[in-house]
Amino acid sequence: MSDIFDAQLVGAALRQATPLILAALGGLMSERVGVINIGLEGKILMGAFAAALGALLTGSPLVGLACAMGVGVTLALLHAVATQEWRTDHIVSGVAINLLALGLSTYLFRQIIVPREEAGETSVVTMFAPVSLGGLENLPIFNALLKDQSWFTLFALVLPFMLLTLLTRTRWGLQVYAVGNDSVKARTMGVPVKRLRYLGVLWSGVFAGMAGAFLVLAATGQFRENMSAGRGFIALAALIFGRWHPLGAAGAALGFGFFEALQMRLQGQPVFGVQLPTDLLLMLPYLLTVIALMGLLGKMKPPSDLGN
Amino acid sequence: MFRTRVLPALLGAIIVLAALTLLIAATGKPLGESFQIILQGATGYPRTDAFGPVDAWDSVLHDMTLLLLTGLAVAIALQAGLFNIGAAGQLLMGAIAAAWIGTLTGVPERLHLPLALLVGAAAGALWAFAPVWLKVRRGAHEVISTIMFNYIALYLTHWLVTERLKDPAGDAPQTAVIADAARLPLLREDFLQASWGLGIAILTALGLWLVLYRTVWGYETRATGANRDAADAAGAPTARRMVEAMLLSGGLAGLAGAIEVCGSQYRFFEGFPSEYGFDGIAVALLAGNHPAVAVVSAWLMSALRSGAYHLHAETGAPKEIAVVAQAVLILYVAAVYLRKRRVEG
């Protein structure tokens, strides 16, 4: 057992959880202002592509990150305009955005990056260097957990607390709460409902785009077709499992990241002499979310004005 | 009539064509020739020695069978006010169940095909039950739970096909080939994939049309979807109708998977195509959730798909132009036809 559960596994879990936390906290802001956001997956995917393209063309991961966040925001803007101005159903708009991102990223990948590969040029980008922790690296636990982690991961660990403070300790956070729970009353009280809804949705684009950037600029170094591989939906599950609370969502994302890391570690290895099917581990986040939805883990209460 | 119906439809067609034009132009391939190839892939004309109507219609009618059934699945749920985006998972469950029945030995020959299709539909319905139960009993949003069940189905079928139902004769993660008696005949001898499943799909569409618009059950179901509170107040058993509509929806998606196994693939395998489940959303939206109109919209989407695939095969242009065009179409239809009534000022 000890060779399966060690600090390295936890380090890998943190890496797996990073894009999940970022996207889940992005989606959280969108849902907190009442806009259902199943388009996280598309924003991650398109963000990953933009990150790869930006970094490939300029050689700078910072430009790649900016492109990823820009593209995430653009897709989010489309969702905001569709749901707020055109009054489109939130689910339909989300489905369309996921399809658009899948189609466009694959199309552009084959048009721009594949020909470069065929011409013998590299499609591997310059990645962000791992963060050096200075003196902390000498402490055994920090060393094992945070060694070779990117700044994305450290940021993802701090972000939930920042978001919690923002939501519960500021006037703005209270307004968000009001919009998500009863937009009509909020408007009567003079809260700028539409502006907050736009902000919340755009916020989801920033962080889902950043999650996509992580995949390319910190994890793998290159874009691959459909590389988001369902992470947007796991993030959505984490957000619900965490009951629309920043710490809950981040905690759930960490847990789901741990299952993924464990699954990769376990490939073929027996635990206590039993061969665990890896499919079961991969299924676990979704299964747990369904169990949570059943109300077995306490009452679920989404923002009451969600979807209107 | 012209301003409310014809004009928006024309505008939609123009927008989708514009998107296609832009995407093709960006590949640097000649536009006129490209559209001709798309048309050839969709209809078979202009025909060449290598590719004719038989090839085109084989592909179009095959896709149309699946898109019509998944489109009907999405439509019937939406008529009851439920958004079933779990058709992909229900399709997978139906497909693997049909493959399991199809590979059983000792089933009477006459019963083998109907049994495979029925069990496939039942597996799909079963997969839709939990989400609708959670909706009716716990108020959990069906979209979230159907997404979860899509992934659970993905990993469950993957586990089944690699561990439990794998063809013992080989190493590949796939089931054995189903028995001859469990196969749906092809529509024509020179077809490769379009089977009489299309007939089942079209009959189902017409049947649903009658049921939805000519029976009390259909009326109550539509009333539930239009305004559940009002339907409740009028005494309709809305929770019941929602559960029934969702079971029907899952059953249709499961049937699509079963028909793909019994009519075209003859086995279940790792990576079984389930994206038809999502394409069904476009089919249903385009048809305004009307089962009979869905026959036309399923044909249109299949023609677009087959055209784009043919363009890909002939010129190497990415076939994803069909996916992008479909996304544009969904957004357009949703924005123009499906606007929510504004409730607040």
Side-chain angles (χ1 to χ4, degrees):
Chain A
M1 284 306 283
S2 60
D3 54 331
I4 292 177
F5 295 96
D6 54 19
Q8 250 182 12
L9 177 69
V10 182
L14 283 177
R15 265 189 294 282
Q16 291 297 327
T18 301
L20 303 181
I21 297 176
L22 292 173
L25 293 181
L28 184 135
M29 275 308 294
S30 171
E31 302 231 330
R32 277 292 189 103
V33 293
V35 181
I36 304 175
N37 205 329
I38 64 167
L40 290 174
E41 175 76 7
K43 296 186 190 92
I44 299 177
L45 180 59
M46 207 58 208
F49 175 76
L53 190 63
L56 205 56
L57 295 183
T58 63
S60 154
L62 260 180
V63 174
L65 176 67
C67 291
M69 287 163 50
V71 162
V73 168
T74 309
L75 282 180
L77 186 63
L78 181 61
H79 190 54
V81 170
T83 55
Q84 301 308 309
E85 310 299 335
W86 306 341
R87 310 284 303 161
T88 302
D89 185 276
H90 298 189
I91 310 295
V92 176
S93 168
V95 167
I97 282 169
N98 282 338
L99 270 180
L100 189 67
L102 176 64
L104 262 187
S105 65
T106 312
Y107 170 88
L108 292 172
F109 174 65
R110 299 219 179 132
Q111 281 304 120
I112 304 172
I113 298 184
V114 171
R116 288 171 66 105
E117 281 179 346
E118 281 165 357
E121 291 175 60
T122 178
S123 63
V124 180
V125 302
T126 318
M127 293 162 59
F128 282 109
V131 176
S132 154
L133 290 169
L136 285 177
E137 254 158 43
N138 299 325
L139 297 167
I141 297 176
F142 278 95
N143 187 23
L145 287 185
L146 298 177
K147 188 166 175 279
D148 293 337
Q149 298 287 12
S150 67
W151 65 263
F152 288 96
T153 305
L154 302 182
F155 179 64
L157 291 176
V158 182
L159 183 63
F161 298 98
M162 286 165 49
L163 189 54
L164 183 64
T165 313
L166 206 60
L167 282 173
T168 56
R169 295 271 178 270
T170 67
R171 178 190 164 79
W172 186 78
L174 288 178
Q175 289 189 336
V176 165
Y177 187 80
V179 172
N181 282 291
D182 194 334
S183 58
V184 178
K185 267 191 200 137
R187 184 177 292 116
T188 318
M189 297 300 292
V191 176
V193 171
K194 194 172 253 185
R195 193 194 310 160
L196 283 173
R197 286 212 168 131
Y198 266 89
L199 272 178
V201 177
L202 294 184
W203 168 293
S204 79
V206 172
F207 288 99
M210 191 188 271
F214 167 84
L215 295 179
V216 170
L217 301 174
T220 64
Q222 59 185 160
F223 179 81
R224 281 290 162 251
E225 283 174 25
N226 199 13
M227 79 183 294
S228 47
R231 285 186 179 83
F233 293 115
I234 300 196
L236 194 64
L239 145 68
I240 291 157
F241 194 82
R243 293 181 209 177
W244 294 269
H245 188 280
L247 301 188
L254 271 175
F256 294 172
F258 177 75
F259 293 140
E260 276 180 43
L262 187 62
Q263 176 271 134
M264 284 193 258
R265 176 70 68 87
L266 282 180
Q267 296 280 358
Q269 272 193 64
V271 183
F272 297 123
V274 182
Q275 184 82 46
L276 265 181
T278 51
D279 288 315
L280 186 69
L281 278 170
L282 289 170
M283 196 193 290
L284 222 44
Y286 306 107
L287 218 52
L288 283 172
T289 304
V290 169
I291 291 171
L293 286 172
M294 289 165 103
L296 295 182
L297 305 175
K299 201 163 160 46
M300 302 290 287
K301 194 178 172 316
S304 24
D305 219 9
L306 198 57
N308 288 321
Chain B
M1 179 70 191
F2 179 76
R3 277 201 55 193
T4 55
R5 288 276 153 195
V6 182
L7 201 61
L10 278 178
L11 192 61
I14 290 171
I15 288 177
V16 171
L17 276 177
L20 277 177
T21 309
L22 204 66
L23 290 165
I24 295 169
T27 65
K29 309 253 181 330
L31 270 177
E33 202 180 304
S34 298
F35 272 107
Q36 205 171 17
I37 295 173
I38 291 182
L39 193 67
Q40 189 189 36
T43 65
Y45 296 98
R47 63 190 303 167
T48 56
D49 290 340
F51 194 92
V54 170
D55 307 285
W57 286 99
D58 186 23
S59 158
V60 172
L61 296 179
H62 165 260
D63 282 7
M64 183 178 160
T65 309
L66 297 175
L67 290 182
L68 179 52
L69 283 169
T70 54
L72 291 172
V74 175
I76 178 80
L78 274 174
Q79 290 268 15
L82 294 163
F83 212 126
N84 177 15
I85 65 171
Q90 293 142 17
L91 182 147
L92 282 178
M93 294 309 289
I96 201 160
W100 170 58
I101 297 290
T103 50
L104 287 181
T105 49
V107 183
E109 280 203 0
R110 277 201 170 165
L111 289 179
H112 213 157
L113 176 62
L115 194 65
L117 295 180
L118 273 177
V119 173
L126 183 73
W127 216 243
F129 177 71
V132 73
W133 184 85
L134 285 172
K135 166 87 175 185
V136 171
R137 282 296 165 86
R138 303 279 174 187
H141 203 306
E142 76 281 3
V143 166
I144 304 302
S145 34
T146 47
I147 289 175
M148 300 303 128
F149 272 86
N150 271 343
Y151 281 95
I152 297 173
L154 188 68
Y155 294 118
L156 180 63
T157 53
H158 183 263
W159 176 72
L160 284 171
V161 81
T162 46
E163 302 282 335
R164 295 289 145 145
L165 299 172
K166 192 165 86 67
D167 182 6
D171 285 329
Q174 57 187 22
T175 65
V177 171
I178 61 172
D180 284 343
R183 293 182 188 191
L184 268 165
L186 294 169
L187 279 167
R188 279 167 61 113
E189 273 185 14
D190 47 2
F191 274 3
L192 299 170
Q193 45 177 354
S195 72
W196 276 99
L198 180 66
I200 300 178
I202 291 177
L203 282 180
T204 310
L206 299 179
L208 271 181
W209 178 24
L210 288 180
V211 168
L212 269 175
Y213 292 93
R214 291 285 180 273
T215 68
V216 174
W217 185 89
Y219 182 74
E220 286 178 348
T221 304
R222 287 184 296 125
T224 303
N227 187 336
R228 192 178 169 191
D229 292 336
D232 261 331
T238 55
R240 244 197 111 88
R241 294 296 169 265
M242 285 164 83
V243 173
E244 289 159 354
M246 191 67 172
L247 289 181
L248 196 55
S249 172
L252 290 170
L255 183 61
I259 285 178
E260 179 67 357
V261 165
C262 297
S264 305
Q265 308 282 0
Y266 305 132
R267 59 164 32 129
F268 188 90
F269 47 88
E270 186 179 26
F272 195 85
S274 65
E275 77 277 3
Y276 292 102
F278 285 100
D279 299 338
I281 297 171
V283 171
L285 291 181
L286 194 58
N289 300 324
H290 193 293
V293 184
V295 178
V296 182
S297 71
W299 171 74
L300 263 176
M301 296 305 264
S302 322
L304 176 66
R305 258 178 86 107
S306 297
Y309 275 59
H310 190 52
L311 184 68
H312 171 66
E314 292 288 309
T315 70
K319 56 181 181 290
E320 280 68 27
I321 56 173
V323 181
V324 178
Q326 197 174 323
V328 171
L329 189 65
I330 291 180
L331 264 180
Y332 177 79
V333 171
V336 172
Y337 294 98
L338 303 173
R339 298 163 72 96
K340 285 198 270 187
R341 270 150 296 198
R342 198 173 276 270
V343 277
E344 69 265 76

